Amino acid sequence: SQKIEQNSEALNIQEGKTATLTCNYTNYSPAYLQWYRQDPGRGPVFLLLIRENEKEKRKERLKVTFDTTLKQSLFHITASQPADSATYLCALPSGSARQLTFGSGTQLTVLP
Amino acid sequence: NAGVTQTPKFRILKIGQSMTLQCAQDMNHNYMYWYRQDPGMGLKLIYYSVGAGITDKGEVPNGYNVSRSTTEDFPLRLELAAPSQTSVYFCASSYSRDQEQYFGPGTRLTVT
């Protein structure tokens, strides 16, 4: 099964800057990778899915990259706002049934 | 659409008691999942279902049981509650295996 590592448990950045979150995996490269946002006391909310043949994907202020050579995905939030403060989880399919395995998440705080 | 609903929101159980966590979705999704999330950790898959009448174990199934008699409902049963089952439980659904998952609001369970 996959082992997923997300960078430092907590990341603080200043409003207006770009936040960059890292997701590294250890075994075979998955067919796709997903990113979710989770607010305190709530369930995760899907943000983006990037497939192995896509180098980059964008959605409004969000950008995800997928480097199968480095076994890494980067998640960027440009022009960050305090409302972007949350925990961000990456997830990828693993095992014969391709069920999602989640990383432990990175808690992002955007300071006004 | 209500999306994915879970009841109850909170529950305190004594060791050895039993309970059922309810989950329902109104999106006609084939796939449904149960996860648990311990503080500071990622989501761990307990059980999943690919359709009515079909269920399978995830990463941490011990101490739990599930059933899927309809497309809409996927209850999770704890037979003999143990302190190790203190956690937040999330139910999720997706249209197919490789698509985004929609999560419910969670059930916070404490076993004392």
Side-chain angles (χ1 to χ4, degrees), chain A residues 32 34 36 38 41-44 46 49 89 97-100 102-104, chain B residues 33 35 37 40-43 45 48 90 97-101 103-105:
Chain A
Y32 60 86
Q34 299 185 11
Y36 289 78
Q38 186 174 23
R42 293 181 175 268
F46 170 79
L49 182 153
L89 306 167
R98 299 218 305 267
Q99 297 313 310
L100 284 183
F102 284 82
S104 56
Chain B
Y33 315 84
Y35 295 91
Q37 186 175 39
M41 304 293 285
L43 297 152
L45 182 65
Y48 67 98
F90 289 102
R97 179 173 56 182
D98 295 325
Q99 293 192 345
E100 66 266 30
Q101 295 186 11
F103 284 80

Side-chain angles (χ1 to χ4, degrees), chain B residues 6-83:
Chain B
Q6 292 183 240
T7 56
K9 284 188 169 53
F10 304 93
R11 184 73 185 266
I12 298 174
L13 280 182
K14 293 191 186 303
I15 295 172
Q17 284 186 322
S18 301
M19 78 163 295
T20 299
L21 282 66
Q22 300 292 346
C23 174
Q25 54 91 9
D26 62 0
M27 296 174 282
N28 202 32
H29 284 170
N30 294 315
Y31 286 68
M32 295 188 75
Y33 315 84
W34 274 106
Y35 295 91
R36 60 176 287 171
Q37 186 175 39
D38 298 321
M41 304 293 285
L43 297 152
K44 301 287 186 189
L45 182 65
I46 305 171
Y47 270 96
Y48 67 98
S49 169
V50 303
I54 307 170
T55 62
D56 207 346
K57 296 177 181 178
E59 184 182 356
V60 289
N62 291 345
Y64 308 94
N65 274 302
V66 294
S67 60
R68 182 103 180 264
S69 57
T70 66
T71 300
E72 294 79 19
D73 300 297
F74 190 39
L76 177 72
R77 179 87 179 155
L78 283 70
E79 288 296 345
L80 291 170

Side-chain angles (χ1 to χ4, degrees), chain A:
Chain A
S1 62
Q2 289 277 14
K3 184 178 177 185
I4 302 172
E5 291 181 356
Q6 294 193 240
N7 65 324
S8 64
E9 288 186 5
L11 179 65
N12 296 335
I13 64 164
Q14 210 64 40
E15 182 176 6
K17 301 291 186 185
T18 296
T20 298
L21 285 63
T22 306
C23 176
N24 294 301
Y25 56 93
T26 56
N27 293 340
Y28 57 88
S29 278
Y32 60 86
L33 192 145
Q34 299 185 11
W35 283 90
Y36 289 78
R37 168 184 173 142
Q38 186 174 23
D39 292 288
R42 293 181 175 268
V45 175
F46 170 79
L47 295 174
L48 281 167
L49 182 153
I50 185 165
R51 301 193 184 279
E52 61 179 340
N53 60 348
E54 298 174 312
K55 290 277 196 280
E56 179 181 300
K57 200 154 192 182
R58 293 174 184 262
K59 179 183 175 183
E60 297 173 352
R61 293 183 296 110
L62 308 180
K63 184 179 86 171
V64 173
T65 62
F66 193 6
D67 189 326
T68 55
T69 302
L70 293 178
K71 296 188 176 181
Q72 181 181 80
S73 175
L74 298 179
F75 178 83
H76 307 273
I77 306 175
T78 58
S80 60
Q81 305 166 358
D84 295 325
S85 298
T87 296
Y88 292 85
L89 306 167
C90 71
L92 47 88
S94 66
S96 57
R98 299 218 305 267
Q99 297 313 310
L100 284 183
T101 297
F102 284 82
S104 56
T106 298
Q107 185 177 340
L108 173 69
T109 301
V110 181
L111 303 167

